[in-house]
Amino acid sequence: YFHNNQGFGFYAPHSSYPTRVKRDSNGHVSDWNSCHGFDPHTGEDNSQGYQVTNHVELFHNFGAGGYDGGETSFKNAVFAFALAGNYYKTFRRGKRSGPFCEDCHIVDTLHPIAPGGSCMWEYKNTVFDNILYGLHVNHHCGNDGEWTGGLCASHVWFSGSSEWRGDFKLLNDGFPKAHDYTDTVVHLSGSTFFSTHGSHPVFRTNDCTRHEYHGNHKKGHFTECRTDKIRIVRIYSADRGDIVVTNKDEGYSLTIPYTPWRKHQHWGRPNAYDLGTEYQNGGMGYTFLVKAGQSYEIHVQPTHALSDLFTLEYSDLQMPVDSIQLEVKGDPLLAGSCTVQNKHDRDWITPYGPYLPASGAWWQCRRWQVQYTVVQHRAAQYGHVAAHRR
C-alpha cells in the first residue's frame, strides 16, 4: 500500500529486465549464462515474469511502473486519485509474463500512461472509471538520442471483461517526431484505434471513423476501425530509404519512410550482462499496420550499412493466433515468400533491436548468410562476462 508520493509508487529502476538466474543453496549465481536476457547458445528468451498482487496506490504522480524494463504484472490492484497511475517509457513483455494489469481497478485518475517500446501491453478484466483525459500512449517515444520509446509500435489490448466507463479518449504522449510516425494500436471493445497522422495502415480505411480528441492538435487525432484484426509489423533495419508495402487482397500500396528519429550508438543496454552489438540500434527501422489473414508484398532496396539486418516481428506472442502471407522483393539477399505467424520466435530481440542479425520472422523464413554469427557473439559474450564478473 503506497500513497501520497510526489513521484512514483512501485517503481522498477532503469534497465530492469528480470531473467531466470540460476543460484546455489547460498543464493550465489551458479550459472552466469543465466544472467543473460537470451540463451547464449540458442538465443531463446530467458526473461522471467513476476506478479505484484493485491497492491494499492493512492494520490501519486506517475504511479506504478518504471523507466525502461519489463516482465511486470499487477493482479487485483487499485490505482486511484493519480496524475497517471501507471508509467513506463519502454516496456517489454517476454513469453513468460502475464498481462500488465489483471483484475485491476483504475479510478479517478487524470490519464493512465501506456509506454513506447515494442510490446503487448494488456489490461485484462480491468475497469477504468472516471478517467478525465483518457488513455495516453507512446510515452517518451520519438526522442532523438535516448533509446527509450524504441520503435513506438506497441499493441495496447483491453481483454476479457475490461471496461472503460465514461468517455473514451486517446492522446499520443510521444515527442513531436512520434506524432508523425507511430504504429501503436489500441484494441477496445471490438475496435482498433491508431494515430490518424502518424500511422501507416496498409489497407483501406474508408469505412473507419476519425476522432479529434483534445482539440485540434494532431497528437489527439485517432482513427477507429471496427475490427480487432489489425496488427503491427516492426522491422529493425539500417536506412534503406523508403520501402513500398502492397496489400495484395485490397490492391492498395503505401510508401513507408524510415523512422525519423536517430539514436545514439551507445546508450543503456536492457541487460548489463549482455554485450552490445551494432545491430542493436535503439529502435530504428520501419513499422506499418496490416490485417491478419491478408497477403502483403514489401519492396526494399539493398543497403551497404548492416546489409544483413532485417529483423521483422509480426504482431506479438500474446495476441490471438493468426498470420499473414508475406513476400519481399528488391533486395536479393532477402527476397522470398513465407507465411508469417504471430507465434514466431523472438530470439535475440529487445525493444531496442536485436543483438544478432539472425533474428526475427523473416530470417527464420529465409536464413540468409549473416556477417556476425551466434558463435562469434557467444565468444564475445564470454569475454564480456569474465571481464565484469565480481
Side-chain angles (χ1 to χ4, degrees), residues 311-361:
T311 296
L312 184 148
E313 291 184 293
Y314 166 66
S315 187
D316 277 300
L317 288 173
Q318 299 86 0
M319 299 283 283
V321 177
D322 56 46
S323 63
I324 57 172
Q325 186 67 31
L326 196 58
E327 183 176 9
V328 173
K329 294 182 176 181
D331 186 344
L333 185 68
L334 309 175
S337 179
C338 283
T339 298
V340 177
Q341 298 184 336
N342 72 300
K343 296 298 183 182
H344 71 81
D345 292 337
R346 264 65 177 183
D347 298 352
W348 301 115
I349 305 174
T350 79
Y352 305 131
Y355 286 108
L356 299 175
S359 55

Side-chain angles (χ1 to χ4, degrees), residues 267-290:
W267 197 72
R269 302 289 170 179
N271 188 324
Y273 291 98
D274 286 306
L275 177 67
T277 73
E278 60 183 341
Y279 294 93
Q280 199 179 42
N281 64 15
M284 296 187 294
Y286 304 89
T287 63
F288 52 91
L289 303 179
V290 298

Side-chain angles (χ1 to χ4, degrees), residues 120-139:
M120 197 277 209
W121 178 271
E122 183 178 4
Y123 297 110
K124 183 177 181 180
N125 306 331
T126 291
V127 175
F128 292 77
D129 197 356
N130 195 28
I131 308 300
L132 184 60
Y133 297 127
L135 179 68
H136 289 196
V137 298
N138 276 344
H139 183 59

Side-chain angles (χ1 to χ4, degrees), residues 226-288:
R226 288 295 298 169
T227 175
D228 60 1
K229 300 298 184 183
I230 296 174
R231 305 288 184 263
I232 303 167
V233 174
R234 313 179 188 103
I235 303 172
Y236 296 96
S237 172
D239 191 347
R240 298 170 177 269
D242 292 348
I243 67 173
V244 178
V245 184
T246 299
N247 183 324
K248 295 182 179 181
D249 294 71
E250 299 186 15
Y252 178 79
S253 295
L254 190 66
T255 298
I256 314 293
Y258 194 66
T259 46
W261 45 83
R262 296 296 177 263
K263 303 297 187 180
H264 296 318
Q265 181 62 40
H266 301 290
W267 197 72
R269 302 289 170 179
N271 188 324
Y273 291 98
D274 286 306
L275 177 67
T277 73
E278 60 183 341
Y279 294 93
Q280 199 179 42
N281 64 15
M284 296 187 294
Y286 304 89
T287 63
F288 52 91

Side-chain angles (χ1 to χ4, degrees), residues 31 65 198 212 234 361:
D31 181 1
E212 294 187 1
R234 313 179 188 103

